[in-house]
């Protein structure tokens, strides 16, 4: 796909090269969920529709179904997580799967075991699926190539976080009805953000126009290959956007040293109550979490009426149920009787 800003200012989107929407499907093509980039529009649609069915299950008095009673899901988390790990665990349990969680600390990774050997070992013990978070981009792909079961990428380095983007799409669709035609600004430390990369693909495939808003050091290399527009001026972009997607500065990936002044960053890119007065009345403020209050978002905005941050977290369970169900439950749709 060729990039980006066309002469008219109209965006060419990833959707232009993707499968047409509306071709209903009942199964994903691959055994794994590693990136959004490789999903078709129909596959994204299937996951979102399945997640909507999962939300209905989660609202029942007994929020549990026997869909994956015979499956074992292993969560392999080599990096810290609150939201993703907890929601995958809850998702697997709501589908009646057995769940085991392993962290690098306390596992044989500390004794020098390779990721490939760890994955093969976990599969030999009986895992039907491995959900992996790792600091190295490509780690989930390595695992997927070395096991027969399904692998879900729960975040790898600065590369991808597909279930985050899917739960974000679900949240936007619920609030706005459709993603098609929406203007979305992704603001902050994009260079280090796997969430930004997955959302760029997810949003543009589903027909949104995406603008990345950041100071130069926070824009990724190779940005010219992405189907997005670029701005360094949040105050110019803000009045136009339907969705404001904020990112934290990823200090654990060394981002702190990329900025001459945090104070200056907050002044130009921090979302404050006065700055929100320039935004549309119905703008959605999103953030994958964890948030850094007083940096990318002022506390009063984080806790205010624009934000859907907790809706995103809540949708994480249903979205991850959908991913596990579709990868492990075979071709049957929720309407197909399995649930
Ligand atoms: N959004 C997200 O991935 O959060 P966690 O790091 O808490 O899982």
């Amino acid at each position: 796909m060729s990039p980006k800003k066309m002469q008219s200012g109209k965006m060419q989107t990833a959707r232009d090269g993707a499968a047409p929407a509306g071709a209903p499907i009942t199964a994903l093509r691959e055994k794994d969920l590693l990136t959004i980039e490789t999903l078709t529009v129909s596959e994204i649609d299937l996951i979102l529709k399945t997640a909507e069915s999962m939300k209905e299950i989660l609202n029942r008095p007994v929020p549990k179904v026997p869909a994956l009673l015979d499956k074992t899901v292993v969560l392999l988390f080599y990096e810290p997580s609150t939201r993703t790990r907890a929601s995958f665990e809850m998702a697997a349990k709501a589908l009646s799967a057995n769940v085991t969680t392993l962290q690098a600390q306390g596992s044989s990774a500390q004794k020098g075991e390779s990721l490939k050997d760890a994955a093969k070992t976990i599969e030999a013990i009986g895992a039907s699926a491995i959900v992996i978070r790792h600091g190295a981009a490509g780690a989930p792909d390595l695992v997927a190539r070395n096991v027969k079961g399904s692998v879900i990428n729960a975040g790898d380095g600065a590369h991808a976080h597909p279930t985050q983007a899917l739960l974000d799409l679900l949240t936007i669709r619920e609030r706005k009805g459709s993603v098609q035609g929406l203007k979305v600004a992704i603001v902050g430390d994009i260079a280090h953000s796997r969430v930004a990369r997955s959302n760029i693909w997810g949003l543009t495939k589903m027909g949104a126009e995406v603008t990345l808003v950041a100071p130069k050091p926070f824009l990724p290399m190779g940005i010219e290959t992405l189907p997005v527009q670029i701005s360094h001026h949040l105050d110019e972009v803000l009045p136009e956007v339907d969705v404001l997607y904020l990112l934290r500065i990823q200090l654990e990936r060394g981002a702190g040293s990329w900025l001459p002044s945090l104070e200056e960053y907050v002044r130009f890119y921090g979302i404050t109550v006065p700055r929100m007065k320039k935004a549309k009345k119905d703008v959605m403020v999103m953030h994958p979490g964890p948030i850094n209050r007083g940096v990318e978002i002022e506390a009063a905005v984080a806790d205010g009426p624009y934000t859907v941050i907790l809706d995103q977290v809540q949708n994480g369970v249903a979205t991850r149920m959908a991913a596990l169900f579709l990868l492990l439950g075979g071709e049957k749709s929720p309407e197909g009787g399995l649930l």
Side-chain angles (χ1 to χ4, degrees):
M1 184 191 57
S2 70
K4 358 295 112 203
K5 209 189 291 188
M6 292 154 71
Q7 290 295 32
S8 62
K10 193 170 174 292
M11 297 289 296
Q12 182 176 16
T13 71
R15 185 171 192 146
D16 298 334
I25 55 168
T26 55
L28 302 176
R29 291 164 306 150
E30 307 288 339
K31 76 175 178 72
D32 311 300
L33 177 53
L34 301 177
T35 68
I36 293 285
E37 202 173 334
T38 51
L39 292 178
T40 64
V41 172
S42 296
E43 285 179 310
I44 293 172
D45 227 33
L46 173 66
I47 296 169
L48 299 185
K49 286 202 173 97
T50 308
E52 283 162 9
S53 302
M54 296 302 174
K55 285 190 81 162
E56 184 272 312
I57 290 168
L58 291 171
N59 284 327
R60 290 179 190 171
V62 180
K64 195 164 177 144
V65 289
L68 301 183
L69 201 53
D70 58 338
K71 308 291 186 198
T72 296
V73 176
V74 175
L75 309 183
L76 190 55
F77 275 64
Y78 286 105
E79 273 197 335
S81 168
T82 298
R83 282 147 282 269
T84 312
R85 201 178 77 191
S87 58
F88 262 117
E89 197 168 316
M90 289 170 73
K93 285 179 178 167
L95 294 169
S96 301
N98 298 309
V99 190
T100 300
T101 301
L102 290 172
Q103 293 176 264
Q105 200 172 22
S107 80
S108 287
Q110 287 189 307
K111 295 185 249 174
E113 184 172 48
S114 72
L115 181 60
K116 180 174 159 181
D117 285 336
K120 284 175 167 291
T121 301
I122 289 164
E123 184 162 67
I125 290 167
S128 326
I130 297 174
V131 177
I132 176 169
R133 169 167 290 194
H134 202 286
D141 185 61
L142 174 83
V143 172
R145 281 186 276 111
N146 283 284
V147 297
K148 293 189 187 70
S150 292
V151 175
I152 300 180
N153 181 359
D156 61 331
H159 174 227
H161 195 349
T163 57
Q164 177 69 48
L166 290 164
L167 73 87
D168 292 332
L169 289 171
L170 181 65
T171 309
I172 295 171
R173 247 175 43 165
E174 279 178 352
R175 199 49 88 100
K176 298 284 187 188
S178 168
V179 178
Q180 178 73 43
L182 293 179
K183 288 185 165 53
V184 182
I186 302 179
V187 185
D189 179 10
I190 292 149
H192 296 97
S193 178
R194 54 196 174 209
V195 172
R197 277 179 185 73
S198 287
N199 263 309
I200 287 166
W201 288 111
L203 287 163
T204 54
K205 276 176 190 260
M206 301 310 282
E209 290 183 18
V210 176
T211 303
L212 306 183
V213 185
K216 275 194 185 133
F218 279 175
L219 289 171
M221 280 168 41
I223 198 155
E224 61 287 348
T225 65
L226 297 174
V228 294
Q229 299 183 73
I230 309 295
S231 173
H232 305 302
H233 305 290
L234 178 58
D235 289 325
E236 285 176 14
V237 172
L238 193 55
E240 303 296 322
V241 299
D242 303 295
V243 179
L244 192 57
Y245 198 102
L246 309 180
L247 300 169
R248 75 187 168 88
I249 299 173
Q250 301 214 11
L251 299 176
E252 75 275 25
R253 301 191 206 285
S257 61
W258 292 29
L259 270 186
S261 158
L262 184 63
E263 199 178 50
E264 197 165 282
Y265 176 82
V266 172
R267 183 148 56 90
F268 287 109
Y269 297 98
I271 299 298
T272 58
V273 172
R275 183 160 268 145
M276 283 305 292
K277 292 197 169 82
K278 296 178 185 165
K280 285 185 179 176
K281 291 268 176 291
D282 62 347
V283 69
M284 287 174 72
V285 177
M286 305 181 75
H287 195 305
I291 62 174
N292 289 147
R293 289 168 185 259
V295 183
E296 71 273 13
I297 188 166
E298 192 178 31
V301 180
D303 300 328
Y306 302 104
T307 60
V308 294
I309 295 169
L310 293 179
D311 298 304
Q312 290 171 263
V313 173
Q314 210 168 35
N315 280 338
V317 180
T319 303
R320 285 157 183 145
M321 284 173 76
L324 288 168
F325 174 77
L326 289 166
L327 291 174
L328 295 178
E331 289 196 16
K332 297 185 190 90
S333 71
E335 292 78 25
L338 187 58
L339 305 180

